[in-house]
Amino acid sequence: MRVWLACFVVLFALAQLFDWVQGLQLPLPIYILGGAFLAVASNYEKLFGTYFSDVTDTSMEASVEQVQLDSQGEATGSMISPATED
């Protein structure tokens, strides 16, 4: 019974909202700005995602390589010293 009541209330609210939106009149610049916002939001990954992922990937690769080098040096237990010529 609760499910039926909840469904009825939700559908009634959606029907009233739909009627209200149909009567809503907005000026043309609002539609243009809304369309531009939706275009940017839908293509955000293409516009900005590649730049941020490239920077993040590069820094992550460098830090992973440094950690691997550090762990290899600790695993061998030897220090690498510069070569000296006598």
Side-chain angles (χ1 to χ4, degrees):
M1 180 68 183
R2 290 181 188 175
V3 174
W4 288 104
L5 184 62
C7 289
F8 175 77
V9 169
V10 169
L11 289 175
F12 181 76
L14 286 174
Q16 292 298 318
L17 180 67
F18 182 72
D19 284 342
W20 178 76
V21 169
Q22 279 185 333
L24 187 64
Q25 295 289 327
L26 294 175
L28 183 61
I30 299 296
Y31 285 117
I32 294 171
L33 289 174
F37 173 75
L38 287 175
V40 169
S42 65
N43 294 313
Y44 182 81
E45 188 67 30
K46 293 178 185 174
L47 296 173
F48 301 109
T50 55
Y51 173 74
F52 290 127
S53 66
D54 289 345
V55 171
T56 306
D57 290 344
T58 305
S59 64
M60 289 296 289
E61 288 174 5
S63 64
V64 168
E65 289 174 6
Q66 183 63 36
V67 169
Q68 288 175 347
L69 291 174
D70 291 344
S71 64
Q72 287 175 355
E74 292 174 3
T76 60
S78 63
M79 296 286 293
I80 300 173
S81 60
T84 58
E85 294 181 18
D86 290 320

